[in-house]
mmCIF file of all heavy atoms in Angstrom:
data_model
loop_
_atom_site.group_PDB
_atom_site.id
_atom_site.type_symbol
_atom_site.label_atom_id
_atom_site.label_comp_id
_atom_site.label_asym_id
_atom_site.label_seq_id
_atom_site.Cartn_x
_atom_site.Cartn_y
_atom_site.Cartn_z
ATOM 1 N N ASP A 1 106.997 96.707 166.928
ATOM 2 C CA ASP A 1 107.929 95.884 167.544
ATOM 3 C C ASP A 1 108.085 94.540 166.693
ATOM 4 O O ASP A 1 108.657 93.507 167.221
ATOM 5 C CB ASP A 1 107.580 95.438 168.970
ATOM 6 C CG ASP A 1 106.341 94.763 169.248
ATOM 7 O OD1 ASP A 1 105.619 94.655 168.235
ATOM 8 O OD2 ASP A 1 106.099 94.256 170.352
ATOM 9 N N GLY A 2 107.468 94.402 165.555
ATOM 10 C CA GLY A 2 107.686 93.204 164.683
ATOM 11 C C GLY A 2 106.665 92.197 165.077
ATOM 12 O O GLY A 2 106.922 90.966 164.677
ATOM 13 N N THR A 3 105.652 92.435 165.739
ATOM 14 C CA THR A 3 104.563 91.548 166.048
ATOM 15 C C THR A 3 104.088 90.777 164.745
ATOM 16 O O THR A 3 103.913 89.611 164.750
ATOM 17 C CB THR A 3 103.510 92.158 166.878
ATOM 18 O OG1 THR A 3 103.931 92.625 168.016
ATOM 19 C CG2 THR A 3 102.298 91.180 167.083
ATOM 20 N N ALA A 4 103.560 91.606 163.817
ATOM 21 C CA ALA A 4 103.048 91.032 162.663
ATOM 22 C C ALA A 4 103.984 90.051 161.930
ATOM 23 O O ALA A 4 103.539 88.999 161.387
ATOM 24 C CB ALA A 4 102.581 92.126 161.650
ATOM 25 N N ALA A 5 105.206 90.446 161.737
ATOM 26 C CA ALA A 5 106.200 89.758 160.994
ATOM 27 C C ALA A 5 106.442 88.356 161.751
ATOM 28 O O ALA A 5 106.542 87.342 161.085
ATOM 29 C CB ALA A 5 107.566 90.484 160.831
ATOM 30 N N ALA A 6 106.500 88.375 163.035
ATOM 31 C CA ALA A 6 106.679 87.231 163.838
ATOM 32 C C ALA A 6 105.474 86.314 163.626
ATOM 33 O O ALA A 6 105.577 85.042 163.591
ATOM 34 C CB ALA A 6 106.830 87.540 165.292
ATOM 35 N N ILE A 7 104.348 86.817 163.551
ATOM 36 C CA ILE A 7 103.067 85.976 163.486
ATOM 37 C C ILE A 7 103.040 85.325 161.973
ATOM 38 O O ILE A 7 102.810 84.093 161.952
ATOM 39 C CB ILE A 7 101.795 86.828 163.661
ATOM 40 C CG1 ILE A 7 101.724 87.213 165.166
ATOM 41 C CG2 ILE A 7 100.617 86.041 163.301
ATOM 42 C CD1 ILE A 7 100.669 88.185 165.447
ATOM 43 N N LYS A 8 103.430 86.126 161.081
ATOM 44 C CA LYS A 8 103.376 85.594 159.725
ATOM 45 C C LYS A 8 104.359 84.489 159.481
ATOM 46 O O LYS A 8 104.178 83.427 158.850
ATOM 47 C CB LYS A 8 103.758 86.696 158.741
ATOM 48 C CG LYS A 8 102.674 87.685 158.416
ATOM 49 C CD LYS A 8 103.230 88.754 157.407
ATOM 50 C CE LYS A 8 102.125 89.774 157.151
ATOM 51 N NZ LYS A 8 102.640 90.737 156.263
ATOM 52 N N LYS A 9 105.411 84.481 160.160
ATOM 53 C CA LYS A 9 106.616 83.521 160.113
ATOM 54 C C LYS A 9 106.168 82.374 160.854
ATOM 55 O O LYS A 9 106.431 81.235 160.352
ATOM 56 C CB LYS A 9 107.828 84.158 160.611
ATOM 57 C CG LYS A 9 109.117 83.152 160.439
ATOM 58 C CD LYS A 9 110.300 83.853 161.027
ATOM 59 C CE LYS A 9 111.519 82.841 160.927
ATOM 60 N NZ LYS A 9 112.782 83.469 161.315
ATOM 61 N N LYS A 10 105.765 82.466 161.986
ATOM 62 C CA LYS A 10 105.481 81.255 162.953
ATOM 63 C C LYS A 10 104.238 80.676 162.804
ATOM 64 O O LYS A 10 103.973 79.499 162.997
ATOM 65 C CB LYS A 10 105.801 81.684 164.371
ATOM 66 C CG LYS A 10 107.266 82.159 164.644
ATOM 67 C CD LYS A 10 107.253 82.652 166.182
ATOM 68 C CE LYS A 10 108.632 83.152 166.472
ATOM 69 N NZ LYS A 10 109.755 81.992 166.487
ATOM 70 N N PHE A 11 103.165 81.516 162.480
ATOM 71 C CA PHE A 11 101.843 81.098 162.417
ATOM 72 C C PHE A 11 101.119 81.499 161.138
ATOM 73 O O PHE A 11 100.183 82.351 161.226
ATOM 74 C CB PHE A 11 100.990 81.574 163.557
ATOM 75 C CG PHE A 11 101.746 81.306 165.006
ATOM 76 C CD1 PHE A 11 102.528 82.372 165.535
ATOM 77 C CD2 PHE A 11 101.755 80.096 165.537
ATOM 78 C CE1 PHE A 11 103.170 82.235 166.755
ATOM 79 C CE2 PHE A 11 102.504 79.861 166.846
ATOM 80 C CZ PHE A 11 103.212 80.962 167.367
ATOM 81 N N PRO A 12 101.553 80.867 159.956
ATOM 82 C CA PRO A 12 100.958 81.274 158.724
ATOM 83 C C PRO A 12 99.388 81.080 158.519
ATOM 84 O O PRO A 12 98.788 81.762 157.745
ATOM 85 C CB PRO A 12 101.779 80.504 157.721
ATOM 86 C CG PRO A 12 102.190 79.345 158.413
ATOM 87 C CD PRO A 12 102.394 79.861 159.861
ATOM 88 N N SER A 13 98.744 80.269 159.392
ATOM 89 C CA SER A 13 97.440 80.064 159.291
ATOM 90 C C SER A 13 96.520 81.068 160.050
ATOM 91 O O SER A 13 95.331 81.091 159.728
ATOM 92 C CB SER A 13 97.033 78.617 159.837
ATOM 93 O OG SER A 13 97.282 78.555 161.227
ATOM 94 N N VAL A 14 97.117 81.853 160.754
ATOM 95 C CA VAL A 14 96.476 82.853 161.574
ATOM 96 C C VAL A 14 96.145 84.119 160.573
ATOM 97 O O VAL A 14 97.103 84.672 159.880
ATOM 98 C CB VAL A 14 97.304 83.372 162.789
ATOM 99 C CG1 VAL A 14 96.720 84.651 163.398
ATOM 100 C CG2 VAL A 14 97.346 82.101 163.753
ATOM 101 N N ALA A 15 94.901 84.574 160.645
ATOM 102 C CA ALA A 15 94.524 85.760 159.887
ATOM 103 C C ALA A 15 95.054 87.030 160.570
ATOM 104 O O ALA A 15 94.868 87.065 161.823
ATOM 105 C CB ALA A 15 93.076 85.807 159.706
ATOM 106 N N LEU A 16 95.527 87.946 159.791
ATOM 107 C CA LEU A 16 96.056 89.178 160.441
ATOM 108 C C LEU A 16 95.231 90.397 159.853
ATOM 109 O O LEU A 16 95.173 90.607 158.725
ATOM 110 C CB LEU A 16 97.585 89.362 160.093
ATOM 111 C CG LEU A 16 98.647 88.926 161.064
ATOM 112 C CD1 LEU A 16 100.012 88.923 160.429
ATOM 113 C CD2 LEU A 16 98.594 89.883 162.272
ATOM 114 N N LEU A 17 94.791 91.121 160.802
ATOM 115 C CA LEU A 17 94.160 92.457 160.409
ATOM 116 C C LEU A 17 94.931 93.493 160.996
ATOM 117 O O LEU A 17 95.635 93.389 162.082
ATOM 118 C CB LEU A 17 92.678 92.542 160.893
ATOM 119 C CG LEU A 17 91.827 91.385 160.595
ATOM 120 C CD1 LEU A 17 90.414 91.495 161.199
ATOM 121 C CD2 LEU A 17 91.648 91.146 158.957
ATOM 122 N N TYR A 18 94.927 94.819 160.481
ATOM 123 C CA TYR A 18 95.716 95.821 160.866
ATOM 124 C C TYR A 18 95.024 97.118 161.251
ATOM 125 O O TYR A 18 94.033 97.381 160.557
ATOM 126 C CB TYR A 18 96.748 96.148 159.763
ATOM 127 C CG TYR A 18 97.568 94.993 159.353
ATOM 128 C CD1 TYR A 18 97.287 94.161 158.315
ATOM 129 C CD2 TYR A 18 98.887 94.741 160.059
ATOM 130 C CE1 TYR A 18 98.125 93.126 158.038
ATOM 131 C CE2 TYR A 18 99.766 93.635 159.755
ATOM 132 C CZ TYR A 18 99.291 92.877 158.819
ATOM 133 O OH TYR A 18 100.124 91.764 158.390
ATOM 134 N N GLY A 19 95.521 97.668 162.313
ATOM 135 C CA GLY A 19 95.062 98.995 162.663
ATOM 136 C C GLY A 19 96.188 99.956 162.612
ATOM 137 O O GLY A 19 97.400 99.504 162.336
ATOM 138 N N ASP A 20 95.954 101.360 162.805
ATOM 139 C CA ASP A 20 96.944 102.314 162.696
ATOM 140 C C ASP A 20 97.394 102.736 164.024
ATOM 141 O O ASP A 20 98.117 103.856 164.283
ATOM 142 C CB ASP A 20 96.469 103.495 161.854
ATOM 143 C CG ASP A 20 95.220 104.179 162.391
ATOM 144 O OD1 ASP A 20 94.799 103.763 163.431
ATOM 145 O OD2 ASP A 20 94.863 105.235 161.875
ATOM 146 N N GLY A 21 96.943 102.114 165.114
ATOM 147 C CA GLY A 21 97.347 102.493 166.428
ATOM 148 C C GLY A 21 96.167 103.226 167.149
ATOM 149 O O GLY A 21 96.343 103.525 168.278
ATOM 150 N N ASN A 22 95.141 103.454 166.474
ATOM 151 C CA ASN A 22 93.924 104.165 166.961
ATOM 152 C C ASN A 22 92.794 103.314 167.259
ATOM 153 O O ASN A 22 91.725 103.880 167.474
ATOM 154 C CB ASN A 22 93.553 105.337 166.068
ATOM 155 C CG ASN A 22 94.786 106.388 166.122
ATOM 156 O OD1 ASN A 22 95.130 106.911 167.127
ATOM 157 N ND2 ASN A 22 95.232 106.668 164.854
ATOM 158 N N LEU A 23 92.782 102.028 167.173
ATOM 159 C CA LEU A 23 91.687 101.126 167.393
ATOM 160 C C LEU A 23 91.391 100.989 168.756
ATOM 161 O O LEU A 23 90.241 100.830 169.165
ATOM 162 C CB LEU A 23 91.973 99.781 166.624
ATOM 163 C CG LEU A 23 91.900 99.695 165.123
ATOM 164 C CD1 LEU A 23 92.301 98.258 164.705
ATOM 165 C CD2 LEU A 23 90.579 100.151 164.624
ATOM 166 N N TRP A 24 92.419 100.828 169.467
ATOM 167 C CA TRP A 24 92.463 100.508 170.949
ATOM 168 C C TRP A 24 91.718 99.062 171.107
ATOM 169 O O TRP A 24 91.473 98.336 170.106
ATOM 170 C CB TRP A 24 91.818 101.584 171.831
ATOM 171 C CG TRP A 24 92.513 102.929 171.715
ATOM 172 C CD1 TRP A 24 92.339 103.829 170.646
ATOM 173 C CD2 TRP A 24 93.516 103.360 172.588
ATOM 174 N NE1 TRP A 24 93.261 104.866 170.968
ATOM 175 C CE2 TRP A 24 93.958 104.650 172.131
ATOM 176 C CE3 TRP A 24 94.147 102.788 173.681
ATOM 177 C CZ2 TRP A 24 95.083 105.248 172.712
ATOM 178 C CZ3 TRP A 24 95.162 103.509 174.274
ATOM 179 C CH2 TRP A 24 95.513 104.717 173.829
ATOM 180 N N TRP A 25 91.331 98.677 172.311
ATOM 181 C CA TRP A 25 90.752 97.366 172.463
ATOM 182 C C TRP A 25 89.441 97.248 171.735
ATOM 183 O O TRP A 25 89.276 96.200 171.042
ATOM 184 C CB TRP A 25 90.582 97.098 173.984
ATOM 185 C CG TRP A 25 90.051 95.669 174.209
ATOM 186 C CD1 TRP A 25 91.003 94.539 174.467
ATOM 187 C CD2 TRP A 25 88.752 95.173 174.358
ATOM 188 N NE1 TRP A 25 90.216 93.456 174.685
ATOM 189 C CE2 TRP A 25 88.977 93.770 174.588
ATOM 190 C CE3 TRP A 25 87.610 95.596 174.203
ATOM 191 C CZ2 TRP A 25 87.746 92.968 174.649
ATOM 192 C CZ3 TRP A 25 86.422 94.859 174.308
ATOM 193 C CH2 TRP A 25 86.514 93.548 174.463
ATOM 194 N N THR A 26 88.518 98.158 172.032
ATOM 195 C CA THR A 26 87.259 98.076 171.400
ATOM 196 C C THR A 26 87.137 98.054 169.867
ATOM 197 O O THR A 26 86.529 97.234 169.329
ATOM 198 C CB THR A 26 86.269 99.094 171.946
ATOM 199 O OG1 THR A 26 86.316 99.191 173.430
ATOM 200 C CG2 THR A 26 84.870 98.931 171.689
ATOM 201 N N GLY A 27 87.967 99.039 169.351
ATOM 202 C CA GLY A 27 88.061 99.012 167.950
ATOM 203 C C GLY A 27 88.590 97.835 167.358
ATOM 204 O O GLY A 27 88.157 97.339 166.187
ATOM 205 N N ALA A 28 89.621 97.258 167.999
ATOM 206 C CA ALA A 28 90.289 96.018 167.502
ATOM 207 C C ALA A 28 89.306 94.724 167.460
ATOM 208 O O ALA A 28 89.218 94.054 166.558
ATOM 209 C CB ALA A 28 91.567 95.693 168.251
ATOM 210 N N ILE A 29 88.600 94.648 168.667
ATOM 211 C CA ILE A 29 87.663 93.609 168.877
ATOM 212 C C ILE A 29 86.494 93.696 167.858
ATOM 213 O O ILE A 29 86.128 92.786 167.171
ATOM 214 C CB ILE A 29 87.101 93.715 170.169
ATOM 215 C CG1 ILE A 29 88.099 93.026 171.290
ATOM 216 C CG2 ILE A 29 85.754 92.934 170.389
ATOM 217 C CD1 ILE A 29 88.185 91.526 171.066
ATOM 218 N N LYS A 30 86.094 94.927 167.662
ATOM 219 C CA LYS A 30 84.992 95.143 166.601
ATOM 220 C C LYS A 30 85.437 94.791 165.104
ATOM 221 O O LYS A 30 84.635 94.157 164.441
ATOM 222 C CB LYS A 30 84.581 96.685 166.590
ATOM 223 C CG LYS A 30 83.485 97.093 165.562
ATOM 224 C CD LYS A 30 83.100 98.443 165.841
ATOM 225 C CE LYS A 30 81.973 98.888 164.818
ATOM 226 N NZ LYS A 30 82.549 99.175 163.519
ATOM 227 N N LEU A 31 86.645 95.217 164.827
ATOM 228 C CA LEU A 31 87.182 94.824 163.550
ATOM 229 C C LEU A 31 87.260 93.358 163.279
ATOM 230 O O LEU A 31 86.926 92.654 162.294
ATOM 231 C CB LEU A 31 88.489 95.398 163.290
ATOM 232 C CG LEU A 31 89.180 95.247 161.954
ATOM 233 C CD1 LEU A 31 88.268 95.853 160.753
ATOM 234 C CD2 LEU A 31 90.603 95.873 161.861
ATOM 235 N N GLY A 32 87.699 92.605 164.432
ATOM 236 C CA GLY A 32 87.802 91.132 164.324
ATOM 237 C C GLY A 32 86.434 90.490 164.246
ATOM 238 O O GLY A 32 86.220 89.467 163.598
ATOM 239 N N MET A 33 85.477 90.990 164.976
ATOM 240 C CA MET A 33 84.214 90.551 164.947
ATOM 241 C C MET A 33 83.579 90.753 163.635
ATOM 242 O O MET A 33 82.838 89.934 162.994
ATOM 243 C CB MET A 33 83.306 91.120 166.058
ATOM 244 C CG MET A 33 83.669 90.826 167.443
ATOM 245 S SD MET A 33 82.779 91.636 168.780
ATOM 246 C CE MET A 33 81.140 90.901 168.669
ATOM 247 N N GLU A 34 83.669 91.925 163.005
ATOM 248 C CA GLU A 34 83.189 92.176 161.710
ATOM 249 C C GLU A 34 83.788 91.181 160.603
ATOM 250 O O GLU A 34 83.123 90.608 159.726
ATOM 251 C CB GLU A 34 83.492 93.559 161.254
ATOM 252 C CG GLU A 34 82.738 94.643 161.899
ATOM 253 C CD GLU A 34 83.273 96.104 161.597
ATOM 254 O OE1 GLU A 34 84.429 96.156 161.246
ATOM 255 O OE2 GLU A 34 82.470 97.002 161.802
ATOM 256 N N TYR A 35 85.039 90.872 160.778
ATOM 257 C CA TYR A 35 85.774 89.873 159.889
ATOM 258 C C TYR A 35 85.252 88.498 160.020
ATOM 259 O O TYR A 35 84.786 87.832 158.986
ATOM 260 C CB TYR A 35 87.212 89.905 160.243
ATOM 261 C CG TYR A 35 88.010 88.872 159.422
ATOM 262 C CD1 TYR A 35 88.614 89.169 158.213
ATOM 263 C CD2 TYR A 35 88.230 87.560 159.910
ATOM 264 C CE1 TYR A 35 89.462 88.313 157.462
ATOM 265 C CE2 TYR A 35 89.040 86.636 159.281
ATOM 266 C CZ TYR A 35 89.619 87.136 157.968
ATOM 267 O OH TYR A 35 90.310 86.143 157.294
ATOM 268 N N ALA A 36 84.921 88.149 161.194
ATOM 269 C CA ALA A 36 84.371 86.772 161.530
ATOM 270 C C ALA A 36 82.947 86.724 161.110
ATOM 271 O O ALA A 36 82.513 85.618 160.420
ATOM 272 C CB ALA A 36 84.369 86.389 162.989
ATOM 273 N N TYR A 37 82.154 87.692 161.409
ATOM 274 C CA TYR A 37 80.750 87.553 161.000
ATOM 275 C C TYR A 37 80.566 87.680 159.413
ATOM 276 O O TYR A 37 79.706 87.039 158.911
ATOM 277 C CB TYR A 37 80.014 89.022 161.582
ATOM 278 C CG TYR A 37 78.597 88.850 161.433
ATOM 279 C CD1 TYR A 37 77.849 88.022 162.420
ATOM 280 C CD2 TYR A 37 77.827 89.737 160.724
ATOM 281 C CE1 TYR A 37 76.488 88.027 162.376
ATOM 282 C CE2 TYR A 37 76.438 89.718 160.690
ATOM 283 C CZ TYR A 37 75.764 88.841 161.549
ATOM 284 O OH TYR A 37 74.348 88.740 161.450
ATOM 285 N N SER A 38 81.430 88.425 158.723
ATOM 286 C CA SER A 38 81.516 88.467 157.323
ATOM 287 C C SER A 38 81.682 87.062 156.569
ATOM 288 O O SER A 38 81.323 86.894 155.420
ATOM 289 C CB SER A 38 82.333 89.483 156.671
ATOM 290 O OG SER A 38 83.691 89.015 156.769
ATOM 291 N N ARG A 39 82.318 86.215 157.401
ATOM 292 C CA ARG A 39 82.584 84.764 156.918
ATOM 293 C C ARG A 39 81.654 83.773 157.514
ATOM 294 O O ARG A 39 82.021 82.647 157.653
ATOM 295 C CB ARG A 39 84.101 84.458 157.291
ATOM 296 C CG ARG A 39 85.039 85.219 156.307
ATOM 297 C CD ARG A 39 86.379 85.383 156.848
ATOM 298 N NE ARG A 39 87.230 85.874 155.838
ATOM 299 C CZ ARG A 39 87.090 87.365 155.576
ATOM 300 N NH1 ARG A 39 86.268 88.087 156.097
ATOM 301 N NH2 ARG A 39 87.952 87.819 154.530
ATOM 302 N N ALA A 40 80.414 84.230 157.935
ATOM 303 C CA ALA A 40 79.286 83.414 158.391
ATOM 304 C C ALA A 40 79.778 82.486 159.541
ATOM 305 O O ALA A 40 79.545 81.257 159.595
ATOM 306 C CB ALA A 40 78.926 82.429 157.183
#
C-alpha cells in the first residue's frame, strides 16, 4: 500500500528493513532486533 515509499519521503532518518510478507510479527521483531544488536 505504499508504506515504505511514504516513510522514505516523510522520515528519511528512519531505517527501513524489508520482508516478503512471511515474517509476521515475531519474524519482523526478530529482524529488527538483529539489526539493532549488530549495531551495538
Side-chain angles (χ1 to χ4, degrees):
D1 64 349
T3 294
I7 294 170
K8 285 181 180 180
K9 181 179 179 179
K10 296 176 182 291
F11 311 99
S13 66
V14 170
L16 263 168
L17 306 180
Y18 299 92
D20 60 1
N22 293 306
L23 289 177
W24 299 89
W25 188 90
T26 309
I29 282 289
K30 178 176 181 284
L31 182 61
M33 293 174 73
E34 289 173 336
Y35 178 89
Y37 193 71
S38 70
R39 282 155 179 77

